Every structure is written in C-alpha cells, then in structure tokens.
Amino acid sequence: MSTHPEREAAATRQPPVGLADLIAPTTTDTFFAEYWEKKPLLIHRKTPEYYAGVLTLADVDAMLATSSLNDGDLRLVAEGEETPVSQLVPESTEGRINGLEALYARYRSGATINLMFVNERWPALNTLCRKLAGELSAGIHGNVYLTPPGTRGLTPHHDTHDVFVCQVYGTKHWTLYPTQTPLPVQTQGYVLPETGAGEPEADFVLSPGDFLYMPRGTVHAAEANDAASVHLTVGISPMTWANALRAAIDDVFMDDVRFREGLPPGFITDPAARDRAVAELSVRLADLIGQVRPESVVDRRAATMLQRRQPTLEGHLLDLEALPSVDLSTPVRRRPQLQWLLHRKGDEIALEFHGKMINLPGYVEDEVAFMAKADEFAGAEIPGSLDEPGRLVLVRRLLQEGFLTTS
C-alpha cells in the first residue's frame, strides 16, 4: 500500500493550466459577463485531486521543511492577530536552528501558516500564474494557507485584489458578508463596524477540488473544520482605470511646465486671486485632456505591466551554452508564457519583453513577427527577405537575449 497517495495523484493528474481549467464548467465568456468584478463564483466539483498537479499537502510539508523563515516568505495569523516570523527566530545560531520547531509550535496551538508568493519558487504554480497573468492582463501572486483543525486565521475582512480560492486539502467553512467598499484600492482597507460584519450573505464549505472567486471588496472569513485545511489563494491585481489615468496625467506633468507652476499668490485669502486660479485651472484642464491620448495610455500601461513580470528564463543557461552549435536546422521556439510587445519606431522595430527593449532593423519585422507567433520552427523556415546568414544571426540574437529557447 502506498504511503504517499497524494504524490501519486499529483503525478497522474494534469494540473489546471489557465483560467478555463480553474473555472470549469463555467465558461470564460460567462465568467467575464456575470462574475468578474461583480459577484462571487462558487464551484463544487467532487473531484478531490483536481489541484494535485499544482499543490498537495505533501508539497506544503516540503516547503516548510526547507523554508528560510523570512518575514517576506511567510506569516502567522490567529483570529486576525499576526505574529512576525522574526519573533520566532532569535538572532542566536541555536534559535535559527530551532526556528521551524517554533513555527510548528504556533501551528499546533492554533495559528494559520501563510506561505506568501509561492508562485515565485514552486514551478507548477509559477506556470499557472504566468498563464493567468497573460489571460487577465494583471499582476498575479499565489499564497498558501495552512490552517489547523477548528481554527481561523483571519477575522472578517476584504482584500484589495480579486481572489481565486482553490481548496487543496481538508475542508473549510466560508462566510461572506455585505460588501463595505466595492472594488477597493489598496488604501481602502476594511473597517469592521462596531455592530459586526453584518448578516451573512453566503455560507458554505469548500472541499478538496472546489473553487471560489471573490471580487476585491468581498468581505469574508473562513474556518477549518475537523481536519487541517490547505487552500491556495491566487491574487489578481488588474490595472485599473484610475491607475492608468493617474500615470498618464503624471506623464503630462513631467512634459508640460505649466502644470508645475504654482497657483496665483494670495489665492487663499484674495477673492480676485482665487477667481484667477479657477479660470487658469479651467484652461489647464482642457489642455490636459487634449494631451492624454487613449492609445498612448493603454500602450504605456501594457508596457508597465510587462516590466513587472518575472522573466521566464528556465533553461536559458543551457541555451547560452548551446549557442555556438545552433544552426538553421536547430528547432527553436518562443519561450512558453512569455509576454511581449513589438513596436515600430521609424526605421527600427523594438521588441519588448523581460523588462527590456531590443532594437532591431525595421526590415526584419516580418521575421520577428513570425518567430513570436510560431510554435516550433527552424531558422531555415523563417519567411521574409533575409538571406541565410542573416536568419542565423537573428535566431542566435534572440536566443541569446532569452526571447527564444531551443526545443
């Protein structure tokens, strides 16, 4: 008899690879039309191993066993009270050796262990989050919550990002309360009313394989039942209209000195100066609207989101070592999950990815576009006007920069 059935399930279960898998059987069209930023979506699946290819209890055990116990990696919460991990790890060598035991002692006494930004160090979750980032055009992070039996880590609260909850192990009782602030920004934290969170609007239990979507601002609390609970929270931070417009306006302020001039002296106490300030502001507002181009706003925010993405460079060291032997028959492809933009800049093109911009001659635009959209190909198959030596130079350049990878 196997002693690790979870690991066997993980080995055979195909992990969810994107939004459609997470919300199935709900379609993406239905999700965006009826639920996204509007109301929660609850899916009961009766498929306990649904997330086994992404995360299991054994995986969480391994993460804890190898954790460095840094405040930036994990936190402890019990009934809304957080204990900094640094308090568990004294400066002495002996204290650091016993830090994991101190962590487990708090867990055994009822504290929830929250592993943060697990997508940055867990490959299966990293792949899922990258896919979601591309599909949703949003910042994505993955946190894991390990809650002891019969306890809860957080009291009623809301998040300032949208949330996908994937129940991995055990069961958890969730309660949703009336929304206090629809779609809040980071500065709009939840304030628990003196009379409490209000009458519950929904009350349910998540079992392994179940899914919950909550728009940001959904007030919620959750408690583990008779066994420990592990759930994965995928946080989604979209680029809001407010963020996009604020950044666009800041760009205008940097370019136009008139917006950096002071208001008329005396405008606080002198009625004439106040009237002049109002009149001048009306002119500047009209100029501001005229300088904010919608196309530029959207393109600049797209570039900003790309710059924030973690590079996809798995296997890049092997590509660099193989570079001298790459020829026009070598199979290559664009890196999986890579997000990119291609701009025309006069006689040049700019290929933007991994937070950098590669400038190339404009006459290779068709070739670069082909490589960006094709599946697997060899340099000899690239269409366009480049001769064979030129194609080889282009393929090797994009391999060296990490845009392509060998297949």
Side-chain angles (χ1 to χ4, degrees), residues 41-100:
L41 168 65
L42 172 63
I43 299 174
H44 292 298
R45 288 202 172 91
K46 297 183 180 181
T47 309
E49 72 281 5
Y50 196 80
Y51 304 114
V54 176
L55 189 74
T56 66
L57 180 65
D59 294 335
V60 177
D61 183 277
M63 291 179 197
L64 291 173
T66 57
S67 172
S68 60
L69 302 185
N70 293 322
D71 281 336
D73 294 337
L74 56 85
R75 63 176 184 158
L76 285 164
V77 286
E79 288 295 326
E81 296 294 326
E82 180 174 350
T83 300
V85 174
S86 57
Q87 291 186 9
L88 304 179
V89 188
E91 290 300 320
S92 66
T93 303
E94 292 80 7
R96 291 196 177 278
I97 290 175
N98 295 325
L100 185 58

Side-chain angles (χ1 to χ4, degrees), residues 234-272:
V234 177
I236 306 131
S237 300
M239 174 66 71
T240 66
W241 291 114
N243 288 338
L245 289 171
R246 189 180 297 116
I249 291 171
D250 284 342
D251 290 341
V252 174
F253 293 166
M254 293 301 100
D255 294 336
D256 191 334
V257 68
R258 293 175 301 162
F259 293 97
R260 304 197 297 274
E261 296 172 349
L263 273 67
F267 80 94
I268 297 176
T269 57
D270 182 355

Side-chain angles (χ1 to χ4, degrees), residues 75-82 110-114 145-148 150-157 172 221-224 231:
R75 63 176 184 158
L76 285 164
V77 286
E79 288 295 326
E81 296 294 326
E82 180 174 350
T112 289
I113 298 175
N114 174 204
Y145 290 83
L146 169 62
T147 303
T151 67
R152 66 178 182 178
L154 298 171
T155 53
H157 66 286
K172 207 162 195 180
E223 180 176 331
H231 77 259

